[in-house]
C-alpha cells in the first residue's frame, strides 16, 4: 500500500501533509483490530458456537468497517486533489493510477468485512433462536402427523418452505445492511425530519421499492447495502435508492455496478443526492439519442471525474459531449479520457493553440470561470464553416 501512495500529498482540515502520514493513525487502528480478529477467529475454529467469541468478533468487525470507511474517505479526498495535481504536473499518471488501485483495494476490503459481519451476525441469531426453534418444530411435527393428510400437507409444506426461504433471504440481506452500517437493531436516525428506527425504515424502503419496481425486495436490500458501503446514511439511501434502481433498469445493469456508478459519479462531480435523479435521466436520454449506452456514459463520466466540475453546462453538457464523441466512435472510458484531455488542453493551451483560439475569438471560460465547452464547439464549427466558405 505504501508504494501505491508514495509521493502524494493531501489537504485535510487546512493542513497539507503526505497521504502516508495522514493514513498512519487509521492504518495503525486497522492493524490492531485485524490482529485481534485473527486471534478470535483462531479460537472459533476450536469452538464455533462460543457466543462470547462470536460477540467479540461482531464488535471487532464493526470497528474494522468503521476504520476502513474512514480510510476510504481519506483516499477519495486525496483522489479528488490528485486529479488537480495530475493536471498541474505535480504527480505522474503512474502515481495517480496507483492511488486509484489503492481505493479499489480498500473498497474490496470493506465489502469483505461487511460479508464477514453479516455471517457473524447470522450465526449469533441462529444460536440464540435454536432452542425455541427446535421446540416449535417438535410441536408442529406432532400436530401435522395427527391432523393433516399427506395430500394436504405436501403442497402446504412446499409453499411454506418457499415463503420461509424468501423471507430468510430478505432478512439476510437486511442483516448485511445492519452489519455494513455498524449499528444495532434498535438504532435510530433522522428521516425526512423525523427520528425513526433505522433498520425498520430501510426494511420498509426495500419492500416498497420491491413492490413498485422490476426488482425484488431482496435485490433492493442488496442495493441499500451497496450504498451503505459508500457511507450513505438513512436519508441519503432513501433519496438515492430509486435513482440506482432506475439506472440499473435503464442500462440493463446489475445493482452493484449501478450503485457504484451513481455514488462514484456524484462524488467525482461534487453532486448532492437530490441531483442524482436528474443526472440519470440525462444519461438515459443521451443513450437513446446517440450511439452509446447508459453504462458506457457512466464509464466516461467516471473517467473524466472532477475535471468536469468546471463545465458551465453541468451534467447536461457533459452527457452531450460524451454523446457526440460516441457518435464518432469514441465511447465509454475512452470517451471520458478524450474529453478530459480536451478540457485540460483548453485550460493550458500551447502558444500556437492560444494564438489560433484568439484569432477565432474563442473564449474558454464564462464570467464565473466555468468552461463554455458546448458554446465553444458551436462557435468553432460556425467560424470554421465561414472560413471553409471563403476558400471556395
Amino acid at each position: 500500500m505504501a508504494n501505491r501512495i508514495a509521493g502524494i500529498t493531501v489537504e485535510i482540515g487546512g493542513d497539507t501533509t503526505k497521504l502516508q502520514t495522514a493514513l498512519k493513525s487509521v492504518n495503525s487502528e486497522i492493524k490492531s483490530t485485524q490482529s485481534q480478529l485473527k486471534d478470535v477467529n483462531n479460537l472459533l475454529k476450536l469452538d464455533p458456537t462460543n457466543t462470547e467469541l462470536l460477540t467479540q468478533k461482531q464488535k471487532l468487525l464493526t470497528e474494522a468497517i468503521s476504520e476502513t470507511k474512514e480510510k476510504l474517505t481519506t483516499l477519495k479526498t486525496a483522489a479528488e486533489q490528485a486529479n488537480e495535481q495530475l493536471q498541474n504536473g505535480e504527480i505522474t499518471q503512474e502515481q495517480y493510477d496507483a492511488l486509484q488501485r489503492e481505493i479499489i483495494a480498500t473498497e474490496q476490503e470493506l465489502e469483505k468485512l461487511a460479508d464477514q459481519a453479516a455471517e457473524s451476525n447470522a450465526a449469533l441469531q441462529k444460536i440464540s433462536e435454536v432452542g425455541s426453534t427446535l421446540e416449535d418444530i417438535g410441536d408442529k411435527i406432532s400436530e401435522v402427523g395427527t391432523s393433516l393428510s399427506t395430500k394436504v400437507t405436501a403442497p402446504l409444506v412446499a409453499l411454506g418452505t418457499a415463503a420461509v426461504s424468501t423471507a430468510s433471504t430478505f432478512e439476510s440481506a437486511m442483516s448485511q445492511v445492519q452489519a455494513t452500517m455498524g449499528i444495532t437493531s434498535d438504532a435510530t436516525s433522522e428521516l425526512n425530519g423525523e427520528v425513526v428506527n433505522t433498520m425498520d425504515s430501510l426494511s420498509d424502503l426495500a419492500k416498497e421499492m420491491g413492490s413498485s419496481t422490476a426488482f425484488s425486495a431482496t435485490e433492493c436490500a442488496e442495493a441499500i447495502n451497496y450504498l451503505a458501503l459508500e457511507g450513505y446514511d438513512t436519508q441519503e439511501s432513501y433519496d438515492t435508492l430509486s435513482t440506482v434502481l432506475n439506472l440499473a433498469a435503464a442500462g440493463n445493469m446489475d445493482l452493484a455496478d449501478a450503485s457504484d456508478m451513481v455514488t462514484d459519479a456524484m462524488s467525482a462531480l461534487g453532486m448532492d443526492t437530490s441531483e442524482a435523479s436528474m443526472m440519470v435521466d440525462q444519461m438515459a436520454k443521451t443513450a437513446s439519442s446517440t450511439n452509446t449506452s447508459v453504462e458506457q456514459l457512466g464509464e466516461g463520466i467516471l473517467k473524466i471525474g472532477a475535471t468536469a466540475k468546471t463545465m458551465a453546462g453541468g451534467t447536461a453538457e457533459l452527457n452531450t459531449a460524451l454523446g457526440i464523441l460516441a457518435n464518432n466512435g469514441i465511447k465509454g472510458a475512452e470517451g471520458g479520457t478524450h474529453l478530459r484531455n480536451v478540457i485540460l488542453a483548453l485550460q493550458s493551451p500551447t502558444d500556437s493553440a492560444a494564438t489560433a483560439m484568439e484569432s477565432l475569438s474563442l473564449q474558454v471560460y464564462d464570467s464565473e470561470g466555468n468552461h463554455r465547452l458546448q458554446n465553444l464547439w458551436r462557435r468553432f464549427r460556425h467560424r470554421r464553416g465561414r472560413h471553409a466558405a471563403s476558400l471556395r
Side-chain angles (χ1 to χ4, degrees), residues 250-270:
N252 195 25
M253 303 164 59
D254 63 48
L255 290 171
D257 289 341
S259 299
D260 285 343
M261 189 168 290
V262 169
T263 55
D264 289 351
M266 289 172 61
S267 176
L269 300 175

Side-chain angles (χ1 to χ4, degrees), residues 76-228:
K76 288 190 173 183
T77 298
E80 291 184 11
Q81 297 176 22
N83 189 60
E84 297 180 7
Q85 293 170 8
L86 176 63
Q87 297 170 26
N88 297 330
E90 298 172 11
I91 63 172
T92 65
Q93 184 67 50
E94 288 76 13
Q95 286 176 303
Y96 181 82
D97 291 342
L99 174 58
Q100 295 300 319
R101 292 196 297 272
E102 181 62 22
I103 290 175
I104 292 171
T106 305
E107 289 174 336
Q108 291 173 342
E109 177 63 20
L110 187 58
E111 290 182 12
K112 184 174 74 174
L113 289 169
D115 289 341
Q116 293 175 6
E119 291 173 1
S120 178
N121 189 46
L124 275 172
Q125 290 179 347
K126 286 181 180 179
I127 291 172
S128 65
E129 296 170 0
V130 67
S132 58
T133 300
L134 288 173
E135 183 177 352
D136 290 344
I137 288 174
D139 292 342
K140 289 178 181 178
I141 288 175
S142 177
E143 293 172 5
V144 167
T146 57
S147 62
L148 295 176
S149 68
T150 301
K151 290 182 180 180
V152 174
T153 300
L156 286 178
V157 169
L159 180 61
T161 300
V164 170
S165 176
T166 300
S168 175
T169 303
F170 176 74
E171 292 303 325
S172 177
M174 291 308 302
S175 178
Q176 183 145 347
V177 172
Q178 181 180 333
T180 300
M181 297 183 75
I183 60 176
T184 59
S185 59
D186 58 354
T188 59
S189 54
E190 187 171 319
L191 179 62
N192 296 330
E194 298 181 5
V195 177
V196 297
N197 180 283
T198 301
M199 290 311 301
D200 286 348
S201 297
L202 291 177
S203 180
D204 290 344
L205 174 62
K207 292 175 182 177
E208 178 185 347
M209 290 293 100
S211 64
S212 59
T213 68
F215 300 95
S216 68
T218 299
E219 289 174 320
C220 293
E222 291 170 351
I224 293 174
N225 187 61
Y226 296 132
L227 294 175

Side-chain angles (χ1 to χ4, degrees), residues 202-342:
L202 291 177
S203 180
D204 290 344
L205 174 62
K207 292 175 182 177
E208 178 185 347
M209 290 293 100
S211 64
S212 59
T213 68
F215 300 95
S216 68
T218 299
E219 289 174 320
C220 293
E222 291 170 351
I224 293 174
N225 187 61
Y226 296 132
L227 294 175
L229 284 168
E230 294 293 331
Y232 278 40
D233 59 24
T234 307
Q235 185 67 61
E236 290 171 327
S237 296
Y238 190 90
D239 293 339
T240 311
L241 180 59
S242 60
T243 301
V244 171
L245 299 178
N246 289 340
L247 178 63
N252 195 25
M253 303 164 59
D254 63 48
L255 290 171
D257 289 341
S259 299
D260 285 343
M261 189 168 290
V262 169
T263 55
D264 289 351
M266 289 172 61
S267 176
L269 300 175
M271 298 172 62
D272 295 328
T273 53
S274 59
E275 301 174 277
S277 180
M278 177 184 67
M279 178 186 69
V280 170
D281 288 345
Q282 291 167 348
M283 291 170 69
K285 183 177 181 180
T286 303
S288 67
S289 59
T290 62
N291 187 25
T292 188
S293 67
V294 169
E295 188 168 5
Q296 288 173 329
L297 285 170
E299 291 171 356
I301 290 172
L302 294 183
K303 196 66 178 179
I304 190 173
T307 306
K309 287 182 180 180
T310 59
M311 296 180 72
T315 54
E317 185 174 18
L318 174 59
N319 277 286
T320 299
L322 289 172
I324 292 172
L325 288 170
N327 283 343
N328 288 275
I330 307 172
K331 307 177 184 180
E334 184 183 4
T337 299
H338 276 69
L339 184 56
R340 182 181 67 183
N341 291 340
V342 167

Side-chain angles (χ1 to χ4, degrees), residues 16-30:
T16 301
T17 183
K18 289 184 177 180
L19 183 54
Q20 287 173 277
T21 303
L23 291 173
K24 185 176 181 180
S25 177
V26 70
N27 280 336
S28 178
E29 293 174 359
I30 291 173

